[in-house]
Amino acid sequence: MDGCGSFTVHHKRPPFSSAVRLFQAASGDIKTSSAVSVAPDSASLCGEMASLLQPDRAVYLVRGEKKIRAPLSQLYFCRYCSELRSLECVSHEVDSHYCPSCLENMPSAEAKLKKNRCANCFDCPCCMHTLSTRATNIPAPLPDDPTKTAMKKAYYLACGFCRWTSRDVGMADKSVASGGWQEPENPHTQRINKLIEYYQQLAHREKQERDRKKLARRRQCMPLAFSEKYGLGTRLQRQRSGAPISSLAGLSLKEGEDQKEITIEPAQALDEVEPLPEDCYTRPVSLPEVTTLRQRLLQPDFQPAGASQLHPRHKHLLMKRSLRCRKCEHNLSKPEFNPTSIKFKIQLVAVSYIPEVRIMSIPNLRYMKESQVLLTLTNPVENITHVTLAACEEEDPDDINSTAKVIVPTKELVLAGKDAAAEYDELAEPQDFQDDPDVVAFRKSNKIGFFIKVIPQKEEDADVTVSFKIRHDFRNLAAPIRPTEEGAETTAEAIWLTHHVELRLGPLAP
Amino acid sequence: VNMICVCSFSAKIAAGAVVCVESEIRGDVTIGARTVVHPKARIIAEAGPIIIGEGNLIEEQALIINSYPENIMPDTEGVEPKTMTIGTNNVFEVGCADLGRNVILTSGCIIGACCQINTCEAVPENTVVYGSNCIRRVQSEKPQPQTLQLDFLMKILPNYHHLKKTVKGNSTPV
């Protein structure tokens, strides 16, 4: 019977876990535009303006193994190769593991032993939210005097979202706040472990044979991946052929160890199957008791059909990953080790090197009529950048999506450098760039607004798309600066980069 | 609990209920004892009376509405006002909506945040409705112990909000 007290026990929970989502956003995980739903009555002007700023309206082309079009905020820039990189043309490496609710770091070896699950935190089997421990006071007989009863604390797990509790599946309350909860044991664990051992030994033996053959023949005919059949794919294996292969982490047999033969019995096929219950067809289905597919498959060991057998599982760990350019092997993104920190040690994102084009306003577009579209161009670096735009040529292989002709300004656009202190410096005179008012609409610190002329070419166009090339100068600060003879100031050499940009301007006006 | 008098006609609020003035109660509504109605909750008895039992918790921006069925105009003859009954110990979380005249909530139900119930049914006891978009139900074993929350709110809410007058209470202005 419940007493009157009930409170939640927290496992050193930090103020907010939105740090995880910020990290994911920064590393370009979020692909689609935000899912914020705007109430119908307020979606008028502000909704339209906001939709122009959606990142996927202006995409840049990445010329990697695959041609990928992605908004600049989701791309990386390798300043050693001086090229844009997307998530698909970099290699992803695991940096560290951590639990998303208690934010506890876990070394990779330990994570592997615990099957990438946190030791302290549990997931609700019903709605996958994090479970919290609650305590109630129950009267319990004192150990030394059975007649007197004292209030003892009993702990149970409860979900704040769907109100599931551990008592729903019959788990008894525990007397310790943490550590008392056990996952049910898989009945096939022994057989699975034996099979894993057998196959690891087999893989190890095969690897040894192949290595011996390889050294003997001095031929590198077989791809390296075959040697490590059941192991993890590491970067070393992929790229450097001929290098010594690192063994399976942790769980492999050591060299020289007594290699005992592990035999397994082959699986037996049974003739008889457990029959269905008698009332299988007649018993009415109680829908709340039936588990959903998602709930069932999150517990692959048991896959219970009834909700009363859904036991909580330990929470899955998340990992932080670092990205590496495949051509030059330099790191493009390396997060901090601390799970509570969302900063990066190395962060070579494209928005901090490449000028960004964004749509500001679109007039009514009409078939075969020229309209002026206002775009903005933002300079992310601190020095002055010169940008030239060019329309795509007739037979440009990159130009596959455009449905309208575009006339871009021919003159070179000059962007001022990004100066963080500019807004506080009242005495600074605005630099005079002598803008052509037909081309440049406005200029604001490191941003300019400029016009392009768009002539839609398709009659019933649901999404008018234009594309053009943008060419800008880039100072490569990563390259070693050769000292000049006079010892004067050495500015980095400027190279010119060209990018292909596509803009989606929306439907034709009705 | 002493209340500040702001009369709301034909709303019968039993003694011991805590109903904030900022909540919108329209029509023939009966609220039982030990029920807490938060500010900005809306209980609208348009097409018939609403009877709310004891020990319920109705949070902010919750909407309980006894509205006319869709195809019938308000002044058509022959439409009988149908009472909407809400039992005891239910919780209506923030932003939920309990629409329609044919919903009967029994006891111990929890309607989660931003969930809607507009089906014609008697919701079984101890049901929990939660989840975005799809409304899912879980039968929990026992109703959640709301007594602690109710006691707490009954003590704290009068400190910060004006409360609606009960039918039997004294109209002593504070």
Side-chain angles (χ1 to χ4, degrees):
Chain A
M1 192 178 75
D2 272 348
C4 49
S6 183
F7 57 89
T8 314
V9 172
H10 290 281
H11 294 290
K12 35 173 191 159
R13 191 175 304 225
F16 49 88
S17 62
S18 55
V20 172
R21 278 188 283 282
L22 281 171
F23 163 73
Q24 284 177 337
S27 65
D29 263 351
I30 297 185
K31 291 187 178 50
T32 58
S33 49
S34 65
V36 174
S37 60
V38 182
D41 25 277
S42 66
S44 51
L45 187 61
C46 78
E48 275 171 39
M49 285 296 289
S51 70
L52 287 180
L53 291 172
Q54 289 293 336
D56 51 355
R57 302 292 284 250
V59 292
Y60 284 65
L61 175 68
V62 176
R63 294 186 185 89
E65 295 155 5
K66 289 190 273 189
K67 298 245 165 111
I68 293 171
R69 286 164 171 78
L72 202 66
S73 49
Q74 293 171 11
L75 295 176
Y76 296 85
F77 181 70
C78 181
R79 58 180 186 182
Y80 305 94
C81 309
S82 297
E83 275 174 17
L84 282 175
R85 296 263 177 260
S86 77
L87 276 179
E88 304 204 17
C89 36
V90 295
S91 61
H92 302 232
E93 295 160 5
V94 174
D95 220 34
S96 60
H97 299 268
Y98 67 97
C99 169
S101 81
C102 61
L103 291 183
E104 183 196 336
N105 215 318
M106 206 179 280
S108 304
E110 192 186 338
K112 210 171 159 186
L113 271 179
K114 296 203 178 132
K115 313 251 192 258
N116 291 331
R117 293 192 183 262
C118 178
N120 305 325
C121 309
F122 285 90
D123 271 344
C124 174
C126 189
C127 66
M128 297 94 205
H129 183 60
T130 312
L131 289 176
S132 47
T133 313
R134 300 228 180 108
T136 58
N137 284 320
I138 52 163
L142 283 172
D144 33 340
D145 193 352
T147 51
K148 285 204 212 135
T149 56
M151 300 306 278
K152 213 167 59 140
K153 284 234 175 354
Y155 300 93
Y156 63 97
L157 294 171
C159 173
F161 188 59
C162 69
R163 315 280 173 144
W164 180 93
T165 63
S166 54
R167 294 169 179 167
D168 287 351
V169 290
M171 290 169 75
D173 298 350
K174 303 278 184 270
S175 47
V176 285
S178 58
W181 303 100
Q182 301 291 335
E183 280 186 24
E185 168 110 3
N186 187 353
H188 308 291
T189 317
Q190 272 205 344
R191 169 88 175 149
I192 292 178
N193 284 342
K194 212 156 178 240
L195 283 171
I196 290 178
E197 265 182 39
Y198 173 71
Y199 280 110
Q200 270 178 351
Q201 196 195 42
L202 194 63
H204 189 80
R205 209 180 298 147
E206 281 185 5
K207 185 177 80 171
Q208 281 183 327
E209 280 178 26
R210 286 211 170 91
D211 293 346
R212 234 176 284 133
K213 277 191 216 164
K214 205 186 263 208
L215 290 169
R217 291 191 210 162
R218 287 171 196 259
R219 235 191 297 161
Q220 288 164 5
C221 48
M222 288 194 227
L224 216 66
F226 280 173
S227 291
E228 193 71 41
K229 201 173 190 172
Y230 299 110
L232 309 165
T234 61
R235 188 175 65 81
L236 292 166
Q237 293 176 303
R238 255 190 299 112
Q239 279 147 359
R240 281 196 258 142
S241 49
I245 306 153
S246 52
S247 56
L248 290 166
L251 304 168
S252 64
L253 296 172
K254 294 185 184 40
E255 291 284 355
E257 195 177 279
D258 186 21
Q259 307 214 347
K260 55 182 178 0
E261 279 289 326
I262 301 177
T263 51
I264 48 166
E265 313 164 346
Q268 304 256 343
L270 293 171
D271 259 348
E272 280 188 16
V273 183
E274 204 179 281
L276 287 173
E278 294 265 322
D279 57 351
C280 183
Y281 293 107
T282 53
R283 184 185 49 199
V285 176
S286 158
L287 270 182
E289 175 65 15
V290 177
T291 53
T292 66
L293 260 188
R294 185 146 189 246
Q295 291 167 351
R296 213 178 285 189
L297 295 177
L298 278 176
Q299 319 230 343
D301 304 348
F302 306 98
Q303 296 182 34
S308 50
Q309 282 130 44
L310 279 178
H311 288 265
R313 292 206 73 179
H314 284 281
K315 201 164 185 61
H316 231 299
L317 298 177
L318 296 181
M319 52 97 162
K320 286 196 173 191
R321 62 177 167 179
S322 54
L323 303 170
R324 194 182 286 270
C325 174
R326 288 214 180 122
K327 282 204 198 136
C328 64
E329 300 295 325
H330 280 103
N331 258 326
L332 293 177
S333 160
K334 198 168 167 73
E336 293 228 350
F337 186 71
N338 192 355
T340 55
S341 161
I342 58 165
K343 297 194 185 167
F344 290 85
K345 286 185 200 156
I346 301 173
Q347 193 185 17
L348 297 179
V349 284
V351 284
S352 35
Y353 293 97
I354 311 284
E356 188 178 1
V357 177
R358 278 191 138 173
I359 307 174
M360 185 147 175
S361 77
I362 306 177
N364 285 330
L365 298 169
R366 298 200 195 281
Y367 174 57
M368 292 308 251
K369 297 239 175 353
E370 188 181 278
S371 344
Q372 265 197 351
V373 175
L374 179 60
L375 305 177
T376 60
L377 196 60
T378 314
N379 181 14
V381 294
E382 286 173 349
N383 30 29
I384 295 183
T385 309
H386 306 265
V387 177
T388 320
L389 301 165
C392 290
E393 317 229 322
E394 271 297 315
E395 294 298 325
D396 195 347
D398 296 333
D399 190 10
I400 46 176
N401 285 335
S402 59
T403 59
K405 266 204 225 153
V406 62
I407 302 172
V408 291
T410 46
K411 285 212 296 210
E412 190 179 70
L413 302 166
V414 183
L415 298 170
K418 183 161 137 183
D419 190 3
E423 52 180 312
Y424 303 112
D425 195 358
E426 291 144 1
L427 301 173
E429 287 176 10
Q431 296 164 297
D432 190 14
F433 285 103
Q434 303 194 325
D435 298 322
D436 182 358
D438 286 337
V439 170
V440 176
F442 64 88
R443 180 178 286 273
K444 187 175 166 195
S445 65
N446 62 329
K447 185 159 80 163
I448 64 162
F450 64 101
F451 293 107
I452 60 168
K453 298 190 175 59
V454 172
I455 308 162
Q457 301 286 307
K458 241 168 80 167
E459 178 114 38
E460 296 284 330
D461 205 344
D463 202 3
V464 177
T465 311
V466 298
S467 45
F468 51 88
K469 305 266 192 260
I470 168 173
R471 185 168 172 263
H472 67 102
D473 57 343
F474 167 66
R475 280 192 169 68
N476 196 351
L477 301 165
I481 301 172
R482 275 170 269 116
T484 57
E485 286 169 0
E486 332 62 276
E489 58 166 58
T490 52
T491 50
E493 283 297 315
I495 57 174
W496 289 86
L497 300 174
T498 310
H499 307 289
H500 176 91
V501 179
E502 282 178 16
L503 302 172
R504 284 178 29 224
L505 301 174
L508 289 173
Chain B
V1 187
N2 284 336
M3 322 281 183
I4 294 187
C5 71
V6 173
C7 273
S8 157
F9 292 112
S10 61
K12 300 186 240 350
I13 304 176
V18 176
V19 179
C20 296
V21 149
E22 288 88 347
S23 66
E24 182 186 330
I25 303 185
R26 276 196 266 138
D28 184 7
V29 178
T30 311
I31 298 183
R34 308 198 71 236
T35 295
V36 180
V37 179
H38 281 234
K40 295 297 177 201
R42 294 192 293 157
I43 307 175
I44 300 172
E46 215 174 45
I50 298 180
I51 299 176
I52 300 182
E54 304 185 356
N56 294 303
L57 176 61
I58 303 169
E59 295 190 0
E60 286 86 346
Q61 309 221 351
L63 168 66
I64 301 175
I65 177 166
N66 186 356
S67 59
Y68 292 104
E70 279 180 16
N71 356 352
I72 303 179
M73 292 303 296
D75 24 287
T76 315
E77 296 296 324
V79 179
E80 291 179 14
K82 190 161 178 210
T83 312
M84 188 173 171
T85 316
I86 295 179
T88 57
N89 294 324
N90 298 306
V91 174
F92 293 81
E93 286 190 9
V94 173
C96 70
D98 189 10
L99 319 165
R101 43 213 319 255
N102 290 322
V103 182
I104 301 172
L105 278 167
T106 48
S107 65
C109 298
I110 299 176
I111 318 286
C114 292
C115 292
Q116 292 191 10
I117 305 211
N118 43 17
T119 50
C120 301
E121 61 175 313
V123 179
E125 287 193 6
N126 302 342
T127 311
V128 176
V129 181
Y130 68 99
S132 65
N133 298 341
C134 45
I135 302 176
R136 283 170 268 177
R137 293 153 178 239
V138 145
Q139 296 279 67
S140 66
E141 277 183 342
K142 53 170 178 58
Q144 306 301 314
Q146 294 298 330
T147 45
L148 185 69
Q149 255 208 41
L150 287 167
D151 289 336
F152 179 76
L153 285 170
M154 282 195 192
K155 280 185 231 138
I156 296 291
L157 270 178
N159 293 343
Y160 299 97
H161 292 279
H162 298 307
L163 299 170
K164 282 199 164 105
K165 175 188 166 205
T166 64
V167 172
K168 296 181 230 167
N170 305 327
S171 57
T172 44
V174 168

